[in-house]
Amino acid sequence: MKKLRIDSFPEPVYITRPLLPNMSHVVKKLEDIWKSRQITNNGLQHKIFEERLVDILKAPYLSLFNNGTTALMTASRVLKLSGEVITTPFTFSATPHSLTWNHIEPVFCDIDPVTMNIDANKIESAITNRTTGILAVHAFGIPCDVSAIQEIANKYGLKIIYDAAHAFGVEVNGVGIGNYGDITMISFHATKLFHTAEGGVLICSDKDTKDYIDIFKNSGMKNEENIGMFPGINGKMNEIQAALGLLILDLVEEDMRKRKELVDVYRSRLKDIEGISFQKDMIGMRYNNACFVIRIDEEKFGKSRDCIYSEYKKYNVFTRKYYSPLCSEYPHYRNLPSSDHRNLPVAIKVVKQVLSLPLYGELSIDDVEKICDILIEMRNV
Ligand SMILES: *Cc1c(COP(=O)(O)O)cnc(C)c1O
């Protein structure tokens, strides 16, 4: 084996690490919960957490969930979607699966070559008389073209769900990301920027929809007397998750600041490497730097994305090929008419180029410098 000029990292460097509060603060919170003897079902922690999130996310109404997937499944139910829903193939499996669980056919639409989000210019041609909605994803926390998508939805009377799994704290023109579309889901999974170990939230714009969501996620029960109005699900967040969320809320702003610093280092070190590109910030957006994704042009760089991914492992760096494979390539979806490669040329090209590099607040600037040095070394070898 060829001798590496740069030493590998002594400990494995993963793509992310969960943001964790001080253990003594957790113990204090748990003591409060133990004293109350209420560990789930809309307890005190849950109430406080929801109230704080309304402020932080600049979201009118929201409802907490035990994970993002149940939240997404509930969203299509609440909006009474059926038939076909137009979505992106460049996402995590939970996006199309949430439709399939509701007997809705996902219709894959190609993505924009820059934002890697659903291409609003291609949505209209995917609409049929069975289409009831659009499930768009703010991939990696980068906002979709929300105004173009809203215009199409208005024109055809479609509902919009945004899978904003990665978009905690993102704003478009000073407006919280959850204010676009009919319902927005943010995931609080441990791999996301902000988390409650497992968890998620649905954001909506009116009280009636929130009340409906709250009943739906509570097994369809409004209260002790009113039971079984809807075929609900148990999607409730428990007190321990909510307490963890409250503690992590105190840390997340600082984490975002550190991430921004690290992203600036990545960008300045990688900007002149031929064959490597990444997204630039657009005016009017508040980003959260949930992920740092590079794109590799194999011809210009001289090595493929898969090769870089494997080489990084030799240095103890574990990157990820999110979101590869495309959902339209899954055995369960690949025979759908919309999964035809001719329908998704951009997604098929992009998915072979993307690589997510390690990014989390605890990573040091030196670590990021070294991850960049390794990439530069790979190009020169
Ligand atoms: C993480 C993620 C989800 C699912 O969230 P969970 O909380 O893990 O169920 C859905 N969509 C996307 C794009 C995600 O990244």
Side-chain angles (χ1 to χ4, degrees), residues 279-294:
Q279 291 198 13
K280 292 165 190 63
D281 289 351
M282 283 181 285
I283 294 167
M285 305 285 180
R286 179 189 192 243
Y287 295 97
N288 63 3
N289 294 300
C291 309
F292 184 70
V293 183
I294 57 167

Side-chain angles (χ1 to χ4, degrees), residues 67-69 91-92 94-95 137 163 165-166 185 187 189 192 199 323:
N67 64 60
T69 303
T91 182
F92 181 61
T95 313
V137 179
D163 175 340
H166 278 288
M185 182 281 290
S187 166
H189 184 261
K192 316 294 195 216
Y323 289 104

Side-chain angles (χ1 to χ4, degrees), residues 6-17:
I6 302 171
D7 292 333
S8 69
F9 281 91
E11 297 290 330
V13 178
Y14 297 109
I15 181 106
T16 189
R17 253 184 176 180

Side-chain angles (χ1 to χ4, degrees), residues 6 261-274 276 278 292 294 301 312 357 365-377 379-380:
I6 302 171
E261 225 171 75
L262 299 173
V263 165
D264 287 344
V265 175
Y266 269 130
R267 286 179 171 166
S268 72
R269 292 295 312 279
L270 301 180
K271 70 177 193 303
D272 297 323
I273 304 182
E274 221 199 325
I276 301 291
F278 44 79
F292 184 70
I294 57 167
F301 189 78
Y312 257 131
L357 300 184
I365 288 182
D366 286 349
D367 294 337
V368 171
E369 295 269 5
K370 186 163 159 173
I371 293 166
C372 295
D373 289 340
I374 295 169
L375 192 63
I376 293 162
E377 171 160 291
R379 185 169 201 277
N380 298 334

